[in-house]
Amino acid sequence: MTDRRKKQLLTALLAVFILMFAYRLLHPFEQERVAELTYTGQNRPGEEADAGNTALRPEFQVMLSLFREPPEHDGDVRNPDFFQPVPGLATPPPEPAPPPETAVP
């Protein structure tokens, strides 16, 4: 994309943004007002049956003690089985390094 094309695209997008901004300033969103709230604070008839059943709702507990007192780590590897050689597989020896190239006079 050439610089001229990029400038045209930027100008077009900037013009669209300015138009949208001006429209929003001239036509602000206003929330509709109601005379009376419909929420009474009581459960609906279908919700009363599940109110006592805690098996359906898992309880989550945040263990803040882990943040206040983080566990000590000593850095030792507890299970070094991942670093043991596999029996029956021999690792091939590494290839020798190529000889250095000499400069041609």
Side-chain angles (χ1 to χ4, degrees):
M1 199 185 268
T2 63
D3 287 337
R4 182 172 182 255
R5 185 73 174 159
K6 287 180 183 179
K7 287 180 183 177
Q8 288 176 343
L9 181 61
L10 181 62
T11 304
L13 290 175
L14 187 61
V16 169
F17 176 74
I18 290 172
L19 288 173
M20 289 172 43
F21 188 74
Y23 177 80
R24 183 53 55 200
L25 285 177
L26 296 175
H27 301 91
F29 176 75
E30 294 181 13
Q31 182 72 38
E32 294 181 14
R33 303 288 179 182
V34 294
E36 181 180 331
L37 295 177
T38 57
Y39 178 71
T40 61
Q42 298 174 352
N43 289 341
R44 289 182 271 176
E47 292 178 357
E48 293 176 5
D50 292 336
N53 190 359
T54 59
L56 297 176
R57 288 184 258 142
E59 294 186 18
F60 296 100
Q61 295 179 350
V62 179
M63 298 177 67
L64 295 177
S65 62
L66 291 176
F67 293 109
R68 285 187 226 122
E69 302 165 4
E72 298 284 330
H73 294 288
D74 55 3
D76 291 342
V77 176
R78 302 278 187 239
N79 191 359
D81 294 337
F82 294 107
F83 302 106
Q84 298 295 326
V86 178
L89 289 178
T91 57
E95 297 181 15
E101 295 182 20
T102 56
V104 180

XYZ file of all heavy atoms in Angstrom:
833
model
N 0.848 -1.157 0.000
C 0.000 0.000 0.000
C 0.907 1.237 0.000
O 1.819 1.349 0.800
C -0.885 -0.036 1.246
C -2.098 0.845 1.119
S -3.068 0.920 2.628
C -4.225 -0.387 2.382
N 0.623 2.145 -0.890
C 1.470 3.335 -0.999
C 1.124 4.348 0.092
O 0.079 4.270 0.735
C 1.279 4.001 -2.381
O -0.076 4.433 -2.467
C 1.586 3.026 -3.501
N 2.001 5.306 0.270
C 1.773 6.331 1.291
C 0.537 7.165 0.963
O -0.217 7.555 1.857
C 2.993 7.249 1.408
C 4.156 6.541 2.092
O 3.903 5.571 2.834
O 5.308 6.968 1.889
N 0.333 7.429 -0.321
C -0.824 8.227 -0.722
C -2.117 7.496 -0.374
O -3.069 8.079 0.137
C -0.747 8.500 -2.220
C -1.872 9.361 -2.742
C -1.610 9.751 -4.211
N -2.668 10.607 -4.688
C -3.625 10.205 -5.520
N -3.625 8.977 -5.976
N -4.569 11.028 -5.905
N -2.136 6.194 -0.622
C -3.316 5.380 -0.338
C -3.566 5.308 1.174
O -4.706 5.354 1.630
C -3.112 3.979 -0.927
C -4.292 3.091 -0.801
C -5.358 3.501 -1.753
N -6.430 2.536 -1.714
C -7.647 2.773 -2.103
N -7.952 3.951 -2.603
N -8.558 1.860 -2.035
N -2.494 5.194 1.955
C -2.625 5.155 3.410
C -3.206 6.465 3.946
O -4.048 6.466 4.842
C -1.272 4.891 4.062
C -0.769 3.478 3.903
C 0.572 3.312 4.580
C 1.141 1.948 4.373
N 2.451 1.780 5.008
N -2.757 7.582 3.388
C -3.259 8.884 3.828
C -4.735 9.042 3.474
O -5.504 9.602 4.247
C -2.439 10.011 3.208
C -1.053 10.136 3.811
C -0.268 11.262 3.178
C 1.126 11.338 3.732
N 1.945 12.367 3.097
N -5.143 8.539 2.294
C -6.542 8.604 1.908
C -7.413 7.772 2.848
O -8.490 8.209 3.268
C -6.725 8.108 0.474
C -6.192 9.054 -0.583
C -6.307 8.451 -1.979
O -6.491 7.247 -2.135
N -6.181 9.302 -2.992
N -6.929 6.595 3.193
C -7.671 5.725 4.098
C -7.766 6.350 5.491
O -8.839 6.348 6.099
C -6.999 4.353 4.177
C -7.671 3.313 5.057
C -9.067 3.005 4.553
C -6.835 2.060 5.110
N -6.677 6.900 5.972
C -6.686 7.554 7.270
C -7.630 8.754 7.286
O -8.381 8.961 8.237
C -5.272 7.996 7.652
C -5.131 8.685 8.998
C -5.530 7.755 10.124
C -3.714 9.190 9.179
N -7.633 9.528 6.213
C -8.520 10.684 6.117
C -9.982 10.244 6.101
O -10.831 10.860 6.763
C -8.191 11.501 4.851
O -6.808 11.859 4.890
C -9.025 12.743 4.759
N -10.284 9.184 5.371
C -11.657 8.692 5.311
C -12.114 8.185 6.682
O -13.224 8.491 7.127
C -11.771 7.582 4.266
N -11.263 7.440 7.362
C -11.622 6.937 8.683
C -11.766 8.071 9.690
O -12.652 8.049 10.546
C -10.582 5.934 9.164
C -10.563 4.592 8.426
C -9.401 3.737 8.906
C -11.874 3.864 8.599
N -10.918 9.064 9.596
C -11.007 10.222 10.477
C -12.313 10.995 10.232
O -12.964 11.436 11.175
C -9.799 11.135 10.283
C -9.654 12.294 11.245
C -9.517 11.798 12.668
C -8.447 13.141 10.867
N -12.705 11.114 8.972
C -13.954 11.801 8.653
C -15.152 11.031 9.213
O -16.087 11.630 9.770
C -14.089 11.975 7.146
N -15.138 9.710 9.112
C -16.220 8.895 9.653
C -16.278 9.048 11.172
O -17.346 9.184 11.764
C -16.044 7.411 9.248
C -16.991 6.505 10.020
C -16.241 7.246 7.758
N -15.114 9.042 11.823
C -15.068 9.209 13.270
C -15.629 10.568 13.689
O -16.403 10.660 14.642
C -13.631 9.047 13.773
C -13.491 9.310 15.236
C -13.951 8.390 16.160
C -12.915 10.484 15.685
C -13.821 8.624 17.522
C -12.783 10.727 17.035
C -13.240 9.809 17.957
N -15.268 11.619 12.970
C -15.753 12.958 13.304
C -17.264 13.042 13.126
O -17.975 13.629 13.948
C -15.018 14.028 12.476
C -13.568 14.126 12.950
C -15.699 15.367 12.554
C -12.688 15.001 12.089
N -17.785 12.420 12.054
C -19.235 12.409 11.837
C -19.962 11.655 12.951
O -20.994 12.108 13.448
C -19.556 11.799 10.479
C -19.209 12.652 9.252
C -19.417 11.846 7.981
C -20.058 13.910 9.252
N -19.421 10.511 13.356
C -20.046 9.740 14.425
C -20.000 10.507 15.748
O -20.968 10.506 16.508
C -19.344 8.386 14.576
C -19.616 7.447 13.427
S -18.646 5.921 13.415
C -18.680 5.410 15.097
N -18.895 11.172 16.019
C -18.747 11.946 17.241
C -19.726 13.123 17.267
O -20.375 13.390 18.278
C -17.304 12.428 17.374
C -16.997 13.067 18.684
C -16.857 12.309 19.827
C -16.841 14.449 18.779
C -16.575 12.896 21.043
C -16.561 15.050 19.986
C -16.423 14.268 21.128
N -19.855 13.806 16.147
C -20.777 14.935 16.068
C -22.219 14.460 16.233
O -23.019 15.108 16.909
C -20.608 15.665 14.731
N -22.579 13.335 15.635
C -23.935 12.796 15.779
C -24.231 12.478 17.238
O -25.308 12.761 17.749
C -24.111 11.547 14.914
C -25.453 10.905 15.084
C -26.571 11.410 14.439
C -25.616 9.797 15.919
C -27.816 10.834 14.605
C -26.857 9.209 16.093
C -27.958 9.731 15.434
O -29.189 9.168 15.607
N -23.266 11.865 17.928
C -23.472 11.499 19.325
C -23.606 12.739 20.201
O -24.376 12.755 21.156
C -22.318 10.620 19.807
C -22.438 10.125 21.214
C -23.732 9.430 21.544
N -24.036 8.331 20.683
C -25.251 7.826 20.523
N -26.266 8.338 21.160
N -25.454 6.825 19.730
N -22.889 13.798 19.882
C -23.025 15.024 20.657
C -24.380 15.687 20.434
O -24.969 16.240 21.360
C -21.913 16.015 20.297
C -20.526 15.713 20.856
C -19.518 16.739 20.354
C -20.548 15.689 22.372
N -24.894 15.621 19.217
C -26.169 16.250 18.908
C -27.361 15.395 19.321
O -28.455 15.916 19.523
C -26.252 16.567 17.414
C -25.222 17.593 16.911
C -25.317 17.723 15.395
C -25.430 18.931 17.598
N -27.179 14.068 19.436
C -28.260 13.152 19.801
C -27.807 12.269 20.967
O -27.553 11.073 20.782
C -28.647 12.260 18.605
C -29.092 13.022 17.421
N -28.236 13.445 16.428
C -30.326 13.463 17.065
C -28.920 14.095 15.517
N -30.186 14.127 15.873
N -27.719 12.832 22.158
C -27.254 12.013 23.292
C -28.300 10.975 23.686
O -29.505 11.197 23.539
C -27.044 13.026 24.409
C -27.930 14.160 24.068
C -27.993 14.208 22.563
N -27.826 9.862 24.195
C -28.724 8.789 24.636
C -29.324 9.170 25.976
O -28.626 9.573 26.896
C -27.954 7.475 24.776
C -28.786 6.353 25.327
C -29.724 5.721 24.537
C -28.639 5.941 26.641
C -30.499 4.695 25.041
C -29.410 4.916 27.152
C -30.332 4.286 26.351
N -30.629 9.027 26.091
C -31.317 9.324 27.340
C -32.102 8.089 27.765
O -32.900 7.547 26.991
C -32.261 10.518 27.168
C -31.536 11.815 26.894
C -32.485 12.996 26.749
O -33.675 12.842 27.102
O -32.042 14.044 26.282
N -31.869 7.665 28.980
C -32.559 6.502 29.516
C -34.017 6.849 29.790
O -34.314 7.921 30.313
C -31.891 6.067 30.821
C -32.494 4.838 31.452
C -32.175 3.576 30.673
O -31.083 3.431 30.157
N -33.141 2.676 30.594
N -34.918 5.948 29.431
C -36.333 6.174 29.681
C -36.606 6.123 31.179
O -36.001 5.337 31.908
C -37.174 5.108 28.980
C -37.105 5.186 27.474
C -37.974 4.120 26.830
O -38.821 3.516 27.520
O -37.802 3.898 25.634
N -37.508 6.946 31.642
C -37.874 6.999 33.057
C -39.143 6.189 33.276
O -40.030 6.156 32.407
C -38.109 8.451 33.499
C -36.939 9.363 33.274
C -35.855 9.060 34.246
N -34.713 9.942 33.993
C -33.604 9.886 34.667
N -33.457 9.012 35.620
N -32.622 10.696 34.388
N -39.237 5.573 34.439
C -40.450 4.844 34.805
C -41.010 5.449 36.078
O -40.280 5.998 36.905
C -40.171 3.340 35.004
C -39.770 2.687 33.704
C -39.115 3.117 36.066
N -42.314 5.342 36.241
C -42.952 5.923 37.418
C -42.743 5.046 38.647
O -42.606 5.529 39.762
C -44.442 6.115 37.162
N -42.686 3.708 38.448
C -42.566 2.801 39.579
C -41.674 1.634 39.188
O -41.779 1.090 38.088
C -43.964 2.287 39.948
C -43.987 1.360 41.129
C -45.395 0.897 41.430
O -46.341 1.648 41.142
O -45.540 -0.228 41.931
N -40.784 1.237 40.097
C -39.921 0.097 39.831
C -40.711 -1.191 39.963
O -41.593 -1.316 40.817
C -38.747 0.091 40.810
C -37.767 1.255 40.682
C -36.697 1.154 41.746
C -37.142 1.286 39.314
N -40.395 -2.178 39.133
C -41.142 -3.436 39.167
C -40.477 -4.468 40.059
O -41.101 -5.466 40.392
C -41.263 -4.013 37.745
O -39.949 -4.187 37.206
C -42.053 -3.084 36.849
N -39.248 -4.283 40.496
C -38.562 -5.249 41.335
C -39.055 -5.113 42.771
O -39.000 -4.046 43.371
C -37.045 -5.024 41.278
C -36.263 -5.959 42.169
C -36.160 -7.309 41.855
C -35.652 -5.484 43.325
C -35.459 -8.170 42.661
C -34.934 -6.341 44.138
C -34.850 -7.679 43.806
O -34.142 -8.529 44.614
N -39.555 -6.202 43.350
C -40.089 -6.149 44.712
C -39.139 -6.763 45.723
O -39.368 -6.657 46.923
C -41.432 -6.888 44.781
O -41.226 -8.258 44.419
C -42.449 -6.246 43.866
N -38.102 -7.462 45.297
C -37.156 -8.085 46.213
C -37.571 -9.483 46.623
O -36.892 -10.123 47.414
N -38.675 -10.006 46.137
C -39.136 -11.350 46.477
C -38.767 -12.305 45.361
O -38.627 -11.910 44.199
C -40.641 -11.350 46.685
C -41.089 -10.465 47.827
C -42.604 -10.403 47.896
O -43.296 -10.892 47.012
N -43.109 -9.784 48.959
N -38.621 -13.576 45.724
C -38.329 -14.601 44.733
C -39.546 -14.860 43.868
O -40.685 -14.753 44.318
C -37.908 -15.905 45.402
C -36.539 -15.796 46.025
O -35.773 -14.913 45.683
N -36.239 -16.714 46.926
N -39.292 -15.236 42.657
C -40.384 -15.654 41.795
C -40.836 -17.040 42.223
O -40.098 -17.770 42.884
C -39.926 -15.657 40.343
C -39.723 -14.236 39.803
C -39.317 -14.272 38.364
N -37.852 -14.359 38.359
C -37.106 -14.491 37.294
N -37.668 -14.587 36.127
N -35.812 -14.554 37.367
N -42.030 -17.476 41.837
C -42.542 -18.773 42.314
C -41.637 -19.951 41.953
O -41.490 -20.871 42.727
C -43.901 -18.893 41.617
C -44.298 -17.497 41.303
C -43.030 -16.736 41.096
N -41.007 -19.969 40.824
C -40.155 -21.085 40.426
C -38.819 -21.119 41.136
O -38.164 -22.155 41.202
N -38.380 -20.028 41.700
C -37.069 -19.967 42.332
C -37.083 -20.476 43.768
O -36.050 -20.798 44.316
C -36.545 -18.533 42.314
C -36.222 -18.029 40.932
C -35.750 -16.590 40.938
O -35.744 -15.985 42.013
O -35.401 -16.092 39.872
N -38.241 -20.572 44.396
C -38.320 -20.995 45.786
C -37.945 -22.457 45.950
O -37.411 -22.855 46.975
C -39.720 -20.734 46.331
C -40.044 -19.263 46.436
C -41.470 -19.024 46.882
O -42.170 -20.009 47.203
O -41.877 -17.854 46.899
N -38.203 -23.294 44.959
C -37.909 -24.719 45.078
C -36.403 -24.972 45.117
O -35.939 -25.882 45.793
C -38.547 -25.474 43.918
N -35.614 -24.200 44.397
C -34.177 -24.420 44.337
C -33.416 -23.673 45.426
O -32.211 -23.795 45.527
C -33.635 -23.975 42.972
C -34.137 -24.876 41.855
O -34.489 -26.027 42.164
O -34.163 -24.421 40.704
N -34.103 -22.898 46.247
C -33.415 -22.069 47.236
C -32.687 -22.924 48.267
O -31.597 -22.581 48.707
C -34.410 -21.137 47.920
N -33.227 -24.070 48.673
C -32.588 -24.896 49.681
C -31.622 -25.910 49.127
O -30.876 -26.544 49.868
N -31.612 -26.155 47.845
C -30.764 -27.169 47.248
C -29.397 -26.571 46.940
O -29.215 -25.899 45.934
C -31.417 -27.726 45.985
C -30.704 -28.947 45.465
O -29.705 -29.379 46.023
N -31.224 -29.511 44.398
N -28.430 -26.835 47.804
C -27.090 -26.275 47.587
C -26.237 -27.174 46.712
O -25.128 -26.806 46.355
C -26.389 -26.041 48.933
O -26.305 -27.289 49.628
C -27.136 -25.018 49.764
N -26.708 -28.384 46.384
C -25.922 -29.284 45.539
C -25.827 -28.755 44.116
O -24.871 -29.042 43.412
C -26.549 -30.674 45.532
N -26.805 -27.990 43.690
C -26.776 -27.447 42.340
C -25.833 -26.261 42.216
O -25.348 -25.961 41.139
C -28.185 -27.025 41.914
C -29.220 -28.143 41.817
C -30.581 -27.563 41.476
C -28.796 -29.173 40.800
N -25.585 -25.564 43.328
C -24.734 -24.371 43.292
C -23.389 -24.677 43.933
O -23.315 -24.926 45.135
C -25.405 -23.221 44.054
C -26.584 -22.653 43.320
C -27.131 -21.469 44.057
N -28.322 -21.961 44.766
C -28.682 -21.588 45.974
N -27.973 -20.734 46.638
N -29.761 -22.083 46.540
N -22.312 -24.714 43.168
C -21.000 -24.959 43.786
C -20.578 -23.741 44.601
O -20.844 -22.602 44.239
C -20.074 -25.176 42.595
C -20.733 -24.448 41.484
C -22.212 -24.542 41.732
N -19.935 -24.012 45.716
C -19.459 -22.922 46.548
C -17.981 -22.701 46.266
O -17.186 -23.632 46.303
C -19.672 -23.250 48.024
C -21.142 -23.326 48.384
C -21.322 -23.503 49.875
O -20.376 -23.223 50.624
O -22.401 -23.930 50.275
N -17.641 -21.486 45.980
C -16.263 -21.137 45.699
C -15.699 -20.390 46.889
O -16.338 -19.481 47.423
C -16.175 -20.254 44.447
C -16.626 -20.957 43.203
C -17.888 -20.743 42.690
C -15.791 -21.845 42.562
C -18.316 -21.394 41.559
C -16.205 -22.496 41.422
C -17.468 -22.274 40.916
N -14.522 -20.767 47.289
C -13.860 -20.077 48.382
C -12.503 -19.599 47.900
O -11.762 -20.362 47.289
C -13.690 -20.996 49.588
C -15.002 -21.420 50.207
C -14.784 -22.342 51.383
O -13.680 -22.795 51.616
N -15.840 -22.617 52.117
N -12.215 -18.378 48.173
C -10.923 -17.819 47.809
C -9.992 -17.994 48.996
O -10.305 -17.581 50.114
C -11.054 -16.322 47.444
C -9.695 -15.744 47.103
C -12.004 -16.159 46.281
N -8.868 -18.626 48.761
C -7.904 -18.860 49.835
C -6.944 -17.675 49.892
O -5.893 -17.681 49.250
C -7.174 -20.175 49.599
C -8.113 -21.378 49.597
S -7.294 -22.916 49.229
C -6.261 -23.101 50.646
N -7.329 -16.666 50.625
C -6.509 -15.465 50.722
C -5.215 -15.712 51.473
O -4.257 -14.952 51.334
C -7.304 -14.340 51.396
C -8.504 -13.843 50.612
C -9.253 -12.799 51.416
C -8.068 -13.270 49.283
N -5.155 -16.782 52.259
C -3.923 -17.071 52.991
C -2.773 -17.374 52.035
O -1.609 -17.151 52.371
C -4.141 -18.248 53.938
O -4.468 -19.407 53.196
N -3.080 -17.883 50.852
C -2.013 -18.145 49.879
C -1.387 -16.852 49.378
O -0.222 -16.825 48.993
C -2.557 -18.951 48.700
C -2.946 -20.392 49.011
C -3.570 -21.031 47.778
C -1.750 -21.179 49.459
N -2.147 -15.767 49.369
C -1.603 -14.487 48.937
C -0.854 -13.805 50.071
O 0.162 -13.171 49.866
C -2.714 -13.564 48.424
C -3.334 -14.052 47.160
C -4.624 -14.552 47.150
C -2.634 -14.017 45.973
C -5.200 -15.002 45.990
C -3.195 -14.468 44.804
C -4.483 -14.967 44.808
N -1.407 -13.918 51.284
C -0.762 -13.273 52.425
C 0.503 -13.995 52.846
O 1.502 -13.381 53.177
C -1.738 -13.214 53.600
C -2.794 -12.170 53.418
C -3.633 -12.039 54.682
N -5.027 -12.007 54.276
C -5.967 -12.846 54.669
N -5.698 -13.781 55.538
N -7.186 -12.725 54.214
N 0.458 -15.345 52.862
C 1.593 -16.161 53.280
C 1.871 -17.194 52.196
O 1.413 -18.332 52.279
C 1.270 -16.860 54.595
C 0.909 -15.901 55.709
C 0.248 -16.622 56.867
O 0.147 -17.867 56.844
O -0.175 -15.934 57.796
N 2.606 -16.835 51.136
C 2.861 -17.797 50.068
C 3.728 -18.946 50.579
O 4.540 -18.772 51.486
C 3.585 -16.976 49.005
C 4.123 -15.803 49.718
C 3.250 -15.553 50.887
N 3.551 -20.153 50.031
C 4.326 -21.296 50.494
C 5.798 -21.146 50.120
O 6.155 -20.514 49.124
C 3.683 -22.474 49.764
C 2.984 -21.880 48.606
C 2.599 -20.502 49.003
N 6.647 -21.733 50.943
C 8.094 -21.691 50.694
C 8.446 -22.741 49.639
O 7.967 -23.873 49.685
C 8.846 -21.993 51.995
C 8.592 -20.984 53.082
C 9.349 -19.692 52.837
O 10.430 -19.739 52.233
O 8.859 -18.643 53.270
N 9.298 -22.372 48.714
C 9.787 -23.302 47.702
C 11.303 -23.315 47.782
O 11.951 -22.268 47.817
C 9.349 -22.864 46.295
C 7.879 -22.919 46.087
N 7.191 -24.090 45.972
C 6.950 -21.926 45.999
C 5.905 -23.829 45.808
N 5.735 -22.527 45.825
N 11.870 -24.534 47.797
C 13.322 -24.608 47.867
C 13.964 -24.824 46.503
O 15.172 -24.765 46.371
C 13.757 -25.701 48.841
C 13.143 -27.049 48.491
O 12.442 -27.137 47.482
O 13.383 -28.008 49.250
N 13.191 -25.092 45.480
C 13.727 -25.213 44.130
C 14.221 -26.601 43.787
O 14.726 -26.828 42.690
N 14.134 -27.569 44.700
C 14.588 -28.923 44.399
C 13.590 -29.616 43.477
O 12.392 -29.380 43.547
C 14.715 -29.753 45.679
C 15.868 -29.277 46.548
O 16.746 -28.570 46.022
O 15.880 -29.620 47.755
N 14.116 -30.495 42.624
C 13.266 -31.277 41.739
C 12.807 -32.489 42.521
O 13.613 -33.292 42.974
C 14.030 -31.688 40.459
C 13.167 -32.580 39.580
C 14.477 -30.473 39.704
N 11.499 -32.616 42.729
C 10.959 -33.696 43.544
C 10.877 -35.006 42.761
O 10.990 -36.068 43.310
C 9.556 -33.337 44.036
C 9.505 -32.083 44.827
C 9.910 -32.358 46.245
N 9.717 -31.177 47.058
C 10.679 -30.572 47.737
N 11.896 -31.053 47.710
N 10.439 -29.494 48.445
N 10.612 -34.926 41.461
C 10.449 -36.126 40.662
C 11.400 -36.051 39.474
O 11.027 -35.578 38.402
C 8.999 -36.247 40.191
C 8.711 -37.590 39.577
O 9.589 -38.437 39.483
N 7.477 -37.801 39.159
N 12.632 -36.563 39.628
C 13.597 -36.453 38.530
C 13.426 -37.529 37.467
O 14.301 -37.747 36.652
C 14.935 -36.601 39.244
C 14.644 -37.467 40.409
C 13.245 -37.111 40.841
N 12.274 -38.254 37.456
C 12.077 -39.323 36.474
C 12.046 -38.797 35.048
O 12.356 -39.524 34.104
C 10.779 -40.077 36.760
C 10.849 -40.830 38.079
O 11.974 -41.112 38.522
O 9.782 -41.116 38.647
N 11.672 -37.540 34.877
C 11.610 -36.986 33.525
C 12.998 -36.798 32.927
O 13.158 -36.704 31.724
C 10.884 -35.634 33.541
C 9.443 -35.760 33.917
C 9.006 -35.350 35.159
C 8.534 -36.318 33.041
C 7.677 -35.465 35.511
C 7.207 -36.444 33.379
C 6.771 -36.022 34.626
N 14.009 -36.749 33.776
C 15.351 -36.464 33.293
C 16.211 -37.721 33.205
O 17.388 -37.644 32.924
C 16.026 -35.443 34.217
C 15.250 -34.167 34.323
C 14.538 -33.869 35.464
C 15.197 -33.283 33.255
C 13.816 -32.699 35.555
C 14.467 -32.122 33.340
C 13.776 -31.828 34.496
N 15.638 -38.895 33.461
C 16.375 -40.143 33.372
C 16.439 -40.594 31.916
O 15.504 -40.411 31.155
C 15.692 -41.230 34.212
C 15.626 -40.911 35.690
C 16.997 -40.858 36.318
O 17.886 -41.599 35.921
N 17.185 -39.961 37.267
N 17.568 -41.213 31.515
C 17.641 -41.726 30.134
C 16.682 -42.899 29.956
O 16.442 -43.679 30.875
C 19.089 -42.164 29.992
C 19.578 -42.375 31.371
C 18.795 -41.450 32.250
N 16.127 -43.016 28.774
C 15.199 -44.095 28.450
C 16.013 -45.333 28.129
O 16.924 -45.291 27.284
C 14.308 -43.699 27.247
C 13.371 -44.831 26.877
C 13.543 -42.438 27.561
N 15.750 -46.466 28.795
C 16.532 -47.670 28.507
C 16.261 -48.174 27.096
O 15.138 -48.169 26.617
C 16.050 -48.681 29.553
C 14.844 -48.110 30.167
C 14.785 -46.662 29.854
N 17.302 -48.610 26.438
C 17.177 -49.134 25.085
C 17.396 -48.097 24.000
O 17.575 -48.432 22.842
N 17.389 -46.821 24.340
C 17.629 -45.777 23.356
C 18.989 -45.163 23.625
O 19.255 -44.671 24.712
C 16.560 -44.682 23.447
C 15.161 -45.043 22.978
C 14.229 -43.862 23.177
C 15.159 -45.446 21.519
N 19.833 -45.266 22.644
C 21.159 -44.669 22.780
C 21.148 -43.325 22.070
O 20.652 -43.198 20.949
C 22.221 -45.574 22.170
N 21.679 -42.344 22.719
C 21.736 -41.028 22.081
C 22.900 -41.013 21.107
O 24.011 -41.450 21.439
C 21.925 -39.929 23.133
O 23.098 -40.195 23.873
C 20.740 -39.882 24.085
N 22.655 -40.548 19.890
C 23.762 -40.518 18.922
C 24.780 -39.461 19.341
O 24.437 -38.438 19.925
C 23.075 -40.128 17.606
C 21.825 -39.448 18.019
C 21.419 -40.049 19.325
N 26.048 -39.747 19.066
C 27.060 -38.751 19.430
C 26.885 -37.495 18.582
O 26.423 -37.554 17.438
C 28.389 -39.452 19.122
C 28.039 -40.501 18.130
C 26.623 -40.909 18.422
N 27.225 -36.355 19.128
C 27.076 -35.126 18.349
C 28.046 -35.102 17.174
O 29.129 -35.668 17.211
C 27.408 -34.028 19.357
C 28.209 -34.699 20.402
C 27.763 -36.118 20.453
N 27.599 -34.470 16.088
C 28.449 -34.370 14.905
C 29.596 -33.415 15.191
O 29.430 -32.420 15.899
C 27.629 -33.865 13.717
C 26.514 -34.811 13.316
C 25.744 -34.283 12.112
O 26.248 -33.358 11.436
O 24.653 -34.789 11.858
N 30.760 -33.722 14.641
C 31.889 -32.811 14.873
C 31.655 -31.467 14.184
O 30.980 -31.372 13.164
C 33.076 -33.549 14.276
C 32.483 -34.516 13.312
C 31.117 -34.866 13.827
N 32.227 -30.456 14.761
C 32.075 -29.115 14.194
C 32.843 -29.034 12.868
O 33.896 -29.663 12.701
C 32.617 -28.093 15.167
N 32.315 -28.260 11.904
C 33.037 -28.142 10.630
C 34.342 -27.377 10.835
O 34.458 -26.550 11.730
C 32.058 -27.355 9.741
C 31.170 -26.635 10.694
C 31.094 -27.480 11.922
N 35.312 -27.704 10.008
C 36.603 -26.988 10.158
C 36.421 -25.506 9.792
O 35.588 -25.162 8.958
C 37.526 -27.692 9.166
C 36.612 -28.334 8.179
C 35.337 -28.656 8.919
N 37.171 -24.661 10.439
C 37.038 -23.225 10.128
C 37.520 -22.933 8.710
O 38.456 -23.556 8.203
C 37.921 -22.553 11.162
C 38.872 -23.604 11.609
C 38.175 -24.913 11.450
N 36.850 -22.001 8.088
C 37.237 -21.612 6.726
C 38.413 -20.657 6.792
O 38.457 -19.773 7.640
C 36.061 -20.956 6.020
C 34.893 -21.887 5.802
C 33.754 -21.197 5.054
O 34.022 -20.159 4.397
O 32.637 -21.692 5.131
N 39.321 -20.855 5.907
C 40.478 -19.970 5.877
C 40.251 -18.911 4.820
O 39.604 -19.137 3.795
C 41.759 -20.740 5.539
O 41.573 -21.421 4.278
C 42.055 -21.784 6.607
N 40.768 -17.745 5.095
C 40.621 -16.631 4.156
C 41.541 -16.840 2.963
O 42.687 -17.216 3.098
C 40.951 -15.319 4.841
N 41.017 -16.612 1.776
C 41.799 -16.754 0.560
C 42.506 -15.421 0.296
O 41.880 -14.381 0.220
C 40.903 -17.114 -0.627
C 41.714 -17.254 -1.906
C 40.144 -18.394 -0.342
N 43.845 -15.479 0.140
C 44.550 -14.203 -0.090
C 44.352 -13.629 -1.456
O 43.984 -14.117 -2.413
C 46.004 -14.556 0.127
C 46.108 -16.037 0.162
C 44.741 -16.579 0.310
